Structures are given as structure tokens and as C-alpha cells.
Amino acid sequence: MSLTSPLFFAFLAAVVVAFHISESVGYRRFVLGAANAIFIASYLSDVTQVLPLLAFLALGYVCVSALYLRQSPLVLTAGVVAILCCYVFLKRFSFFEGLGQLPFPYLTVGLSYILFRILHIMVDVRSGDLTERIGPLAFLRFTCNFLCFVSGPIQRYQDFNAMDGKAAVRLDASVVYAAFSRIATGYVKFVIIAATADYAFTFVSPHLLQPAGLSFLKLCAVYATVASLYTVYLYFNFSGYMDIVIGIGTLLGQTLPENFDRPFSARSFLEFWQRWHMTLSQWFKFYLFNPLLMFLMTWLPSPALTSYLGVLAFFITFGVMGVWHGTTAVFVIYGLLMGAGASINKLWQVACTERLGKKRYRALTESTAYIYVARGLTVAYFVLALTCLWVPELPQFTALLARLGFAGVVATFVVVAAAFGIAALILDVVQARLRIPVTLSAIRSGEITRNLHLAGKMMAIVAVATLLHKAPDFVYKAF
């Protein structure tokens, strides 16, 4: 069900109206469960396509139930191995083609995020953080919540359960306006900015991937343009989708976690990952990086090795994250590149602190030149690493790198870093000097202005969608 289709808007209106007909918790849970089923069914053309998903959910529920009966490390390990093996088989990773595959097409959308939710429940039940027994219907409502089904945000069961049909929802004017404003902002990002960037990316990228015909400088310029356009497309597509589902969640009494916090204002690569796809980053931090680092530090209890053990943990964590993003070898490279970025950042911090001391290093990081150089380098590294997502086949990826060569990659990196650093500096200076008069500020926050602003967004969405004549799809659905 596309977010821009009339079917989705009709579905959404029906769910919101049905949800508010009664305040009965049982009734509202039935509405949410039915909405999840209808949303998933919209992806199917045959009933057999949903059978592997049902089997995956059943296996997850059996593993969770076994942990309630016996909270032992052995049961947890067996459950994690079983659910991961099932996931790898269903996702058809290219590394495991010898495992075979089911002889019919089936639904894989949503599988990646269901995996996170099941693993989170299993770990929390084992650790004692989740003591309340989860019934099968609650398990299905949580794992298949249509707001988070395709791409998150990754919500904890404890937070979901606190609201699951129980939260008091009063749709007064301020709540409805806030929800619709968030949804409209999401569609502006999704339909206008991301779709336009995708349109330009689709037009320019074939020039980059063609076998020959571009000079070195032109090749670097086209690569910088294409990589930057894809990053703009990815961010506004994904964050726009988050705005839409968070706004819809407000109408259904669900407070979904934020997934983005101005990532391009990050002053380091580590800070960037605290602002980008935050629920995924936090999941990996709590359930993989921290336990792994604790294990390594217990195994090698030397303070001098702590930073290097952290580097190893970064590579393993981002490596797993890379494999989760896709099924080909290029996604392993993507994970290792992210791990390298985080490791270099961490080692730089350690080296500077040792050489300058904490006070002088902190003063250095607050200097204007350092801030904008760091922001430029951070964004440029991320932009070029994302090449793995738009060139996901290894032969194409290696051919592109061979054409660019080391000099081409470095030149493109410097150009993107300089362009973004300078642009960020100019934007911040303009924003700092721009003062809105008090009278204009009062008018801007008035009811008429706010409604005109919302109406303007809606008209712009319709106009651009008509001009592009192309319904945008959600990019993270493919991951």
C-alpha cells in the first residue's frame, strides 16, 4: 500500500474513525489488529505469500514463550540462532544460495524490523527487564504494527504496551492540527524534496555508470553530484516517512519514538550515528555493541586496550548492520566502511585527548574552523559510503571504483566535504543574523497563518506530484 495512493488515505481515514467510535480497550485493540492485517494483506496477491511471515512470527512467539518458562542463556542462544537462521533463509542472502529457497514468491517486507522486535523481547525476557507475559494477540499487534511494519521506528514492547489501545486520545483542535501538520511536513519531504532528488538522481546517474566517455574531472563532478543527490533522496524519503507515521500515531494514541535529529549538523561521525536512524542505532548499541564490548573487556581486562577493543566492537557491530541492510557482498563493505568511520573518529578523539589534554581538545572542538571542517568531513564520508546502497552489485561497484581510482575518490571526498562545510557555515551565519520582528512572529503563530501554511504545504504536494507524474516509493522498504 503506497503512502501516496488514494487507497492508503481511505484506509487511514477508516482506521482513525473506527478507532474513535468506542473507548473500549478491547474494541480499540481489535481495530488496530484488523488494521495491521489489512495493511499486510495489501502487499499480497496470493494467500501463500504470507505463510513464511506467519511461520517466522510463530517461531518468534515459541522462542519468547520458551524463555518465559526457562530464562537460561542456553534457551536464549538457541532461540536467537533459530530466529536468525530462519531470517537468513527467508531473506535469500546471496552468501547462502546453497541453502536453497522456497519455490514460490512470498512477502519479505517488514521482516527485518520484525526480527529486531522479536530479538529485543527475547533479550529483555531473559534479562528480567520484561516480566509481563505477552499474549499471542499482543505479540502480533506489536510485531506487525502497521505504523512501524515497513521501516520502524523500532519501538520497545514496554512502550508499545503502555499505549496499546489504552492511551486516552482526545482529538481536540490542537492535537488534530499538530498531527496533520506533522503528516503534511512528512509529505513535503517525501513527495517534493525526496521525489525531486530521486528524479535528478535517476537522470544523472546513468552518465556515471556508463563504461567510458567522461574525463577525470567530469567523472569526479558527476560522482559527487550523484552521491549527494542520493543522500538527499534517502534522508528526506526516510525522515518524511517517519513524520507521516508519527503524525498518524498521534491520531491513534501511539507516541512513536523519533528516528532523526538533524543528523547533518553532527560535528563527528559518532555523533552523526546518534542522530541518524536513532532507533536502529540505539538497538545495536544496547543489544550488540555494549554486550560485545563488555565481553571483550572481561576477556582482555587491560585499560590500555579498551579503545582498541571498542574499535573491534565498532567493526563487528557496523558489519552486522551492513549485512542487515542488504543481501549482497557490497553491504558487507558498507558495514565495514561505517565501522572504519566510527573507529577512526574514536581513535582521533583518544589521540587528541592524550596529546592536548581534555581541556585543550574541548577548546579545539569548539573553534569555528574545527566545527565546519568536522561537519564537512563527516557528511562527505557518509555520502560516499552510501554508494554501496545505490550500487548494490559487486561487479558494478568495483568497476566504478576502478574508473575513479584512489585519486578520484579522494578528490570527490574533498569536494563534497568543502561544499557542505562552506554551505553549513553560510546557512548558520544567515540564520543567526535573521531576526523575525515580534509583530511578524505573532502573525506567524496565529490561527489563520498556521492554517494557510498547512494549506500551502498541501497545494505544493499536489502540484509537485502532478508535475513529476511519478508516485514515490519508500526507499527503506527494500532493506
Side-chain angles (χ1 to χ4, degrees), residues 42-214:
S42 71
Y43 286 97
L44 306 174
S45 58
D46 186 281
V47 70
T48 57
Q49 293 177 354
V50 78
L51 296 180
L53 173 63
L54 294 177
F56 187 67
L57 289 166
L59 175 63
Y61 191 70
V62 168
C63 294
V64 170
S65 300
L67 276 162
Y68 277 117
L69 296 175
R70 188 174 179 183
Q71 297 174 335
S72 73
L74 182 62
V75 175
L76 176 63
T77 303
V80 170
V81 169
I83 205 74
L84 285 178
C85 287
C86 186
Y87 173 78
V88 168
F89 178 77
L90 292 178
K91 287 290 283 187
R92 293 180 288 227
F93 279 81
S94 61
F95 324 110
F96 304 107
E97 287 183 345
L99 291 174
Q101 54 184 264
L102 296 177
F104 58 90
Y106 57 86
L107 188 70
T108 57
V109 173
L111 206 63
S112 300
Y113 286 90
I114 291 175
L115 171 72
F116 285 129
R117 295 184 193 112
I118 293 175
L119 291 178
H120 136 67
I121 292 176
M122 291 169 64
V123 173
D124 281 7
V125 171
R126 163 69 184 89
S127 66
D129 288 342
L130 184 53
T131 55
E132 182 182 349
R133 190 69 178 256
I134 303 175
L137 293 179
F139 180 80
L140 287 174
R141 283 195 302 277
F142 173 62
T143 53
C144 298
N145 182 2
F146 79 93
L147 294 174
C148 311
F149 182 76
V150 176
S151 65
I154 304 169
Q155 191 181 26
R156 296 179 77 236
Y157 177 78
Q158 292 89 328
D159 297 331
F160 169 81
N161 186 48
M163 299 176 290
D164 183 22
K166 296 181 285 190
V169 187
R170 295 283 182 271
L171 293 186
D172 56 27
S174 62
V175 172
V176 172
Y177 179 83
F180 273 93
S181 180
R182 186 73 187 259
I183 293 169
T185 299
Y187 275 105
V188 167
K189 292 180 180 178
F190 192 79
V191 176
I192 298 179
I193 305 176
T196 305
D198 182 44
Y199 188 84
F201 171 83
T202 306
F203 179 76
V204 180
S205 59
H207 298 285
L208 178 67
L209 299 176
Q210 63 189 4
L214 295 176

Side-chain angles (χ1 to χ4, degrees), residues 24 32 69 85 115 128 248 260-261 318 326 328 356 414 459:
S24 162
L32 294 175
L69 296 175
C85 287
L115 171 72
I248 296 171
F260 293 93
D261 179 20
F318 277 105
T328 68
L356 302 175
V414 171
M459 291 179 66

Side-chain angles (χ1 to χ4, degrees), residues 369-390:
Y370 185 95
I371 289 171
Y372 290 99
V373 169
R375 286 179 64 177
L377 294 175
T378 297
V379 171
Y381 189 89
F382 183 71
V383 165
L384 296 198
L386 284 185
T387 304
C388 301
L389 302 190
W390 51 272

Side-chain angles (χ1 to χ4, degrees), residues 189-190 193-195 197-198 227-241 260 264 276 325 334 382 386 389-390 474-476 479:
K189 292 180 180 178
F190 192 79
I193 305 176
D198 182 44
S228 300
L229 284 171
Y230 182 81
T231 306
V232 172
Y233 161 62
L234 180 69
Y235 171 68
F236 284 99
N237 183 289
F238 197 4
S239 67
Y241 184 91
F260 293 93
F264 297 106
W276 174 277
H325 271 82
Y334 170 73
F382 183 71
L386 284 185
L389 302 190
W390 51 272
F474 178 55
V475 64
Y476 247 76
F479 302 144

Side-chain angles (χ1 to χ4, degrees), residues 93 284 316-328 330-336 338 389:
F93 279 81
F284 273 102
I316 294 174
T317 303
F318 277 105
V320 173
M321 185 189 289
V323 172
W324 170 82
H325 271 82
T327 60
T328 68
V330 178
F331 289 94
V332 178
I333 298 172
Y334 170 73
L336 295 178
M338 293 299 169
L389 302 190

Side-chain angles (χ1 to χ4, degrees), residues 192-376:
I192 298 179
I193 305 176
T196 305
D198 182 44
Y199 188 84
F201 171 83
T202 306
F203 179 76
V204 180
S205 59
H207 298 285
L208 178 67
L209 299 176
Q210 63 189 4
L214 295 176
S215 65
F216 176 76
L217 291 178
K218 200 168 182 179
L219 180 66
C220 294
V222 173
Y223 180 41
T225 304
V226 170
S228 300
L229 284 171
Y230 182 81
T231 306
V232 172
Y233 161 62
L234 180 69
Y235 171 68
F236 284 99
N237 183 289
F238 197 4
S239 67
Y241 184 91
M242 288 299 120
D243 288 333
I244 293 168
V245 296
I246 288 172
I248 296 171
T250 302
L251 299 174
L252 297 174
Q254 295 189 38
T255 305
L256 299 178
E258 296 288 345
N259 225 9
F260 293 93
D261 179 20
R262 300 176 293 114
F264 297 106
S265 65
R267 299 179 183 183
S268 71
F269 196 72
L270 291 173
E271 185 188 349
F272 183 89
W273 275 103
Q274 293 169 4
R275 295 171 174 272
W276 174 277
H277 206 163
M278 292 188 295
T279 58
L280 179 72
S281 303
Q282 290 162 3
W283 192 98
F284 273 102
K285 179 182 177 183
F286 291 129
Y287 294 108
L288 182 56
F289 180 81
N290 285 349
L292 178 62
L293 185 58
M294 289 296 292
F295 169 76
L296 293 172
M297 291 173 66
T298 305
W299 186 42
L300 295 169
S302 169
L305 294 176
T306 301
S307 299
Y308 301 101
L309 296 179
V311 167
L312 178 60
F314 275 133
F315 270 103
I316 294 174
T317 303
F318 277 105
V320 173
M321 185 189 289
V323 172
W324 170 82
H325 271 82
T327 60
T328 68
V330 178
F331 289 94
V332 178
I333 298 172
Y334 170 73
L336 295 178
L337 285 173
M338 293 299 169
S343 300
I344 292 169
N345 191 167
K346 186 64 182 176
L347 293 176
W348 168 260
Q349 289 177 346
V350 172
C352 286
T353 304
E354 289 178 351
R355 189 174 182 84
L356 302 175
K358 288 184 179 179
K359 192 174 179 181
R360 289 177 61 196
Y361 175 57
R362 193 178 301 116
L364 173 67
T365 60
E366 293 301 325
S367 65
T368 302
Y370 185 95
I371 289 171
Y372 290 99
V373 169
R375 286 179 64 177

